[in-house]
Amino acid sequence: MNPFDLLKNTQAIKEQTEKLKEELASIRVEGSSGGKMVVVTMNGQFEMIDIKLDPICVDNRDVQMLQDLIVAAHKNAMENVQEQIKAKSSSLLGGLGGLGGMDLSQFGL
């Protein structure tokens, strides 16, 4: 890609980036573990916004299992957020000269 073409598209990139940030703020995904004994809800900014525990997994004799289930559900939710981000970023930025594969961290995403 010609660097000068990229400079020409700076305003379009900024607009698409802002639109993507708005889209990401509205994402809500769940991650689960233990056959849905633990369900974590996360937003598109990787913030955990809810956690649901099946009462069966709350056993004071096996706290380690519950901790492991929470970590696994959180990891699953993060993976689901990443999939949503990829899908949204490729659809929004994909038309800007192949920017769909660009590292979006420089834009705060």
Side-chain angles (χ1 to χ4, degrees), residues 15-27:
E15 290 171 7
Q16 292 293 344
T17 301
E18 288 305 313
K19 185 175 179 180
L20 180 58
K21 284 182 180 180
E22 291 172 13
E23 293 270 337
L24 295 178
S26 67
I27 290 175

Side-chain angles (χ1 to χ4, degrees), residues 36-86:
K36 294 203 174 197
M37 287 196 307
V38 175
V39 178
V40 168
T41 304
M42 189 174 283
N43 66 21
Q45 295 156 333
F46 295 96
E47 298 168 334
M48 188 187 320
I49 55 176
D50 191 30
I51 185 167
K52 293 180 180 138
L53 304 174
D54 185 322
I56 199 166
C57 70
V58 183
D59 181 353
N60 63 359
R61 295 170 292 168
D62 199 359
V63 173
Q64 184 63 48
M65 179 196 69
L66 179 57
Q67 292 169 337
D68 292 344
L69 288 171
I70 292 170
V71 169
H74 185 266
K75 182 179 185 290
N76 182 242
M78 286 184 61
E79 291 167 354
N80 293 340
V81 169
Q82 289 170 342
E83 288 176 19
Q84 289 286 320
I85 289 172
K86 282 182 186 178

